[in-house]
Amino acid sequence: MIRLGQFLKFANLAETGGRARELIAEGLVYVNGEQETRRGRQLHPGDDVAVRSGDQEVHQTVELGEIDVPW
């Protein structure tokens, strides 16, 4: 599970956490086709996240694998 604001940064759909917050507040973020206004929305594998800007839309599917940490 990952939260929407974190995912937007992780997937390079937002440059910073502040920008992710702005995109969500402006109503430009959709999860599984529905507008989402909660930055803390929990996302699960297979969820489709879209960010709309003008007449363009970028989609990213949530894929969570194990984190490879060297320690």
Side-chain angles (χ1 to χ4, degrees):
M1 184 272 310
I2 188 170
R3 302 214 183 268
L4 180 58
Q6 294 170 325
F7 181 76
L8 291 174
K9 291 187 303 181
F10 177 75
N12 291 319
L13 296 173
E15 301 82 24
T16 64
R19 182 61 184 143
R21 182 174 47 248
E22 290 172 2
L23 291 170
I24 294 167
E26 293 171 9
L28 300 175
V29 179
Y30 293 77
V31 177
N32 298 326
E34 296 183 16
Q35 188 177 43
E36 185 55 68
T37 59
R38 297 172 294 160
R39 188 178 65 180
R41 157 84 185 256
Q42 293 182 2
L43 301 176
H44 301 280
D47 284 344
D48 177 66
V49 177
V51 177
R52 294 183 182 168
S53 178
D55 55 349
Q56 294 184 344
E57 185 171 283
V58 177
H59 288 264
Q60 185 73 37
T61 301
V62 177
E63 295 178 14
L64 303 175
E66 291 189 33
I67 298 173
D68 185 17
V69 182
W71 60 86

